[in-house]
Amino acid sequence: MSSRTSLRTPNTFTSRILASAIAVTTSATLTVVVLPGTATAAAPYRGANTAAVQDDFNGDGYRDVAVGAPGAANGSVDEAGAVVVLYGSASGVSASHRTVITQATSGIPGAAEEWDQFGTTVASADLDRDGYADLLVGTPDEAVGTMGGVGSLTVVWGSSAGLKSAANISPPTGLDEGCGFAAGLAVGDVTGDGAPDIGVTGNCGATTYTGPFTRSGVPAERRFVNDYGTNRGVVMGDVDGDGRAERFWLPGPTDGDEGGPVHAEGHDGSSTELPLADGLSGQIGDIDGDGYGDLVTGVPYDASLTSAPVPTHRGGEIQVLYGSAHGISPDQKPQIVHQDTGGVPGSGENGDQFGWSLSIGDTNGDKYADVLVGAPWEALGSSTGAGQATLLRGSAAGLTTAGSRAYSQTTGGIAGTAEAGDRFGASTHLVDVTKDGRAEIVVGVPGENSDGLLWTARGSAAGPATRGSTTISGTAAGLKRRYAEIDFGAALPGAHSTV
């Protein structure tokens, strides 16, 4: 149970962010920098965007799990932050087969400083196309000189020996205090050349990086986008089946659209708003099995969390926009699912924040991607913020509530006790770490006790099995606490809101 009072409580945290939300501007600021030494690239390594390579940091054929612990201490340095990489295997992940990375780790640039919160966001892709996944770590609270919260982005290179050397990826020039660079990350191959590209968001606009990357972290091109002022989220994935990822920008709450607008970026750099859609974070996966990626966004804030008019369903919701040969058209009306939708366990209550986190993956091997949705402030009995995660099934007809299941620390087979402030479901991830064709469920519980917890359950033909599921605590993963809570499990590669 959480013992710290902080800005992570929903009303205080939300009010602070919504009060500073910036309205969407009509004039765009765009800076393109073509960086030297990367214009001529080797032949594309096509494996860079396949499941066989993505997340596999040591090249053993099993996908791995990166877990952010932004509150972890480094010696006497409080809240310096850490990332724990749990290596996949036929039996799943365990604390005994791990790597802990901090800014005090040999080969990692920067220094472990108080309140940096290294590991606030994590992602992966084979950026240098050597056949090993590389780890991306966002540190939006990183200080630069005397300016706090400027932010930084670090890439740790994968190899046969795991994650070793690293480099910083240069931010756009002119970032100031509080810009929060790298608060949001997404990876995808926008150009179709086999080299992953990166989208990065923060409080002072967004940045795109075009691969391939050199081992010093230099991309072929860097582009700064300030179309929307503050930009909270970015999603990348192929929704039209042309082999190239589309990019969707989620600026976050704006005047007149507190649910957060959704903008689709064309391959020519143009931007089109999807006026019927909302979202603060999202992911793309093929839910209906038609070969086209579908966009799922989380809209967790209801009217109880802001004084502004919010159309979001009580307790939060998710929205689904289906891809096609023509992509996602602006007039497509999203499918909306919440806890009062028929077949969904539970009921929508003020401040549940259903949709705070979400992830997409096939948990039962039926070739339809499922969606795991976190509601970290779900009350269980009298325990406010105990948290819950709900699995919704994919099907030929799209996302269905038939057979949906809710998971919490009151569910049989899940260790622990549901306590106030645990925030089960603050982060979620669906990933096949056992290489059996079925994704495991991975759920972060950062408020568990003072160190945080990670819960994992094996995928099966019947879906995730709670029997035999496992938990790993932050201390078991080798992390230390000083004053702040460790927050192990606060970040996973699945989408989660940062506002």
Side-chain angles (χ1 to χ4, degrees), residues 17 52 61 69 97 111-112 114 124 138 144 218 292 373 461:
I17 293 297
H97 191 197
E114 201 166 40
S124 70
V144 176
V218 179
Y292 303 105
V373 185

Side-chain angles (χ1 to χ4, degrees), residues 43-119:
Y45 178 76
R46 293 290 176 180
N49 296 305
T50 68
V53 173
Q54 186 182 7
D55 302 321
D56 184 5
F57 301 118
N58 60 358
D60 65 355
Y62 292 96
R63 298 178 73 171
D64 310 314
V65 179
V67 188
N74 190 276
S76 63
V77 183
D78 196 28
E79 274 192 278
V83 175
V84 178
V85 173
L86 303 170
Y87 291 100
S89 70
S91 57
V93 295
S94 71
S96 62
H97 191 197
R98 69 177 189 266
T99 295
V100 178
I101 300 169
T102 73
Q103 286 181 298
T105 301
S106 177
I108 307 299
E113 299 169 309
E114 201 166 40
W115 308 312
D116 272 355
Q117 297 196 2
F118 180 83

Side-chain angles (χ1 to χ4, degrees), residues 1-2 376 384-387 409 417-426 444-449:
M1 179 176 67
S2 174
T384 302
Q409 287 182 295
T417 303
E419 300 168 296
D422 280 352
R423 305 196 318 277
F424 186 99
V445 195
E448 176 78 12
N449 299 321

